[in-house]
Amino acid sequence: MAELFGILNLTDDSFSDGGKYVSKEAAIEKGKSLLQEGADYLEVSGQSSNIDSQLVSEELEWQRVSDPIRYFVKAGVRLSLDSFRASVQIRALDAGVRVINDITGFTQNQDPKFWKDHFSTKKETKLVIMHSHNGFMAQKESNLTKENALKKIQTFFRDRRSELISWGIPETAMYFDPGMGFFLSPDPSVSFYVLQELNLLRLEFPNLMVSVSRKSFLGNSLGGVPVDKRDGITLACEIYLLDKKIPWIRTHDVLKLRQAERIWSLCRGN
């Protein structure tokens, strides 16, 4: 079954829960809750990437995530860091983070020698190569359509895979995220088309991570469901991901997905 990444945003402007977990105490309590609900990993983030977010300094990004990282690493929890900044990624790995999720697909100021040296001793590290139509934080304007989206995603994944392999990173360490919502297009049909083609995408890239949790394309497809009312439609889409055997799923509501996973499995006689 899928491994679930419980989303722990430590920012003040995340689209879903910005400002709720900016204190160390609140972050740790939320992280504990996600683990109790059944998260396999906690994914922490100190920099928002939604269409309305602002860049913060690298030092502030690290300050936001450093204490929770140290706390949960000490407790033996598997952690993922959502960051596109090489300096923050390196500090997190040094602190014991096991997964780096990069919305730019590791295109920003990377040092190939660091990665070669790192993987020579830390072979358990995993990297999530995410696709974004503009190669960076989400934007409203996009040239992706249902006709060209899948080909562009595949080309991006192939290019990034080749470059990371040249850095000494084994392909087995790579997971691939096609991006959803504004990372693809403001048109919800583009996200739904990519979801419909996950079987094809998995033929070449079986290690997929997908995150649909509370995303705009779900709400917009139903006439504008607000973000705090999207848990039901999120769950419907996440059950689809389970059916497609997506190995890694990022979600805000781990408990609902774990419960749905169990009932879905029982209905299928498993």
Side-chain angles (χ1 to χ4, degrees):
M1 301 301 286
E3 289 190 297
L4 304 188
F5 284 60
I7 298 170
L8 183 54
N9 288 319
L10 311 178
T11 63
D12 57 9
D13 59 351
S14 293
F15 78 95
S16 172
D17 49 12
K20 290 185 178 180
Y21 312 115
V22 292
S23 73
K24 174 184 175 181
E25 295 75 18
I28 289 173
E29 286 306 308
K30 178 59 176 177
K32 288 179 178 179
S33 176
L34 289 167
L35 292 168
Q36 290 169 355
E37 292 175 2
D40 299 289
Y41 290 82
L42 293 181
E43 181 160 289
V44 299
S45 174
Q47 168 65 60
S48 298
S49 56
N50 68 76
I51 58 173
D52 296 318
S53 62
Q54 300 296 316
L55 282 172
V56 301
S57 69
E58 294 182 24
E59 188 57 36
L60 177 56
E61 181 182 354
W62 174 246
Q63 287 176 5
R64 287 173 168 177
V65 300
S66 58
D67 283 340
I69 284 176
R70 293 188 183 100
Y71 178 89
F72 285 112
V73 166
K74 186 177 181 180
V77 175
R78 293 188 292 176
L79 290 183
S80 173
L81 173 73
D82 176 359
S83 177
F84 55 82
R85 285 162 159 160
S87 65
V88 180
Q89 294 170 355
I90 290 170
R91 293 169 83 170
L93 289 168
D94 288 343
V97 165
R98 303 190 192 187
V99 179
I100 301 294
N101 186 355
D102 187 332
I103 64 167
T104 74
F106 298 90
T107 61
Q108 305 293 310
N109 302 312
Q110 295 292 332
D111 178 5
K113 184 179 184 303
F114 165 79
W115 289 111
K116 183 176 181 179
D117 292 344
H118 177 83
F119 273 94
S120 69
T121 59
K122 300 286 184 65
K123 301 184 186 301
E124 71 279 5
T125 300
K126 305 296 183 185
L127 306 180
V128 180
I129 300 162
M130 201 194 93
H131 167 269
S132 174
H133 71 85
N134 63 320
F136 199 53
M137 295 162 65
Q139 291 185 355
K140 290 183 178 179
E141 301 300 322
S142 171
N143 62 2
L144 289 188
T145 65
K146 290 189 292 184
E147 289 70 33
N148 65 15
L150 193 65
K151 184 176 181 180
K152 286 182 178 292
I153 292 168
Q154 291 170 316
T155 298
F156 178 77
F157 285 170
R158 290 168 186 150
D159 290 346
R160 299 313 302 147
R161 178 177 60 190
S162 295
E163 183 161 11
L164 269 63
I165 288 174
S166 76
W167 298 351
I169 300 172
E171 187 173 352
T172 53
M174 301 178 201
Y175 280 70
F176 299 88
D177 182 345
M180 285 285 131
F182 282 111
F183 286 113
L184 291 176
S185 170
D187 179 357
S189 70
V190 177
S191 290
F192 283 114
Y193 175 76
V194 173
L195 288 171
Q196 292 159 19
E197 296 298 328
L198 285 177
N199 283 344
L200 180 59
L201 196 58
R202 285 201 68 204
L203 289 176
E204 185 174 356
F205 305 98
N207 288 343
L208 286 184
M209 169 183 270
V210 180
S211 179
V212 298
S213 189
R214 301 176 183 170
K215 287 193 177 285
S216 58
F217 79 97
L218 297 174
N220 292 340
S221 69
L222 296 177
V225 178
V227 65
D228 61 342
K229 303 294 184 183
R230 294 177 191 163
D231 284 354
I233 54 179
T234 290
L235 189 57
C237 197
E238 289 174 338
I239 294 171
Y240 175 81
L241 298 179
L242 293 176
D243 187 54
K244 292 298 180 181
K245 297 181 172 58
I246 302 303
W248 281 2
I249 299 174
R250 293 174 72 251
T251 187
H252 292 90
D253 198 330
V254 173
L255 180 60
K256 284 189 177 68
L257 182 50
R258 279 295 183 216
Q259 291 174 334
E261 180 183 45
R262 177 59 178 154
I263 296 301
W264 178 73
S265 180
L266 289 171
C267 289
R268 298 170 71 243
N270 297 333

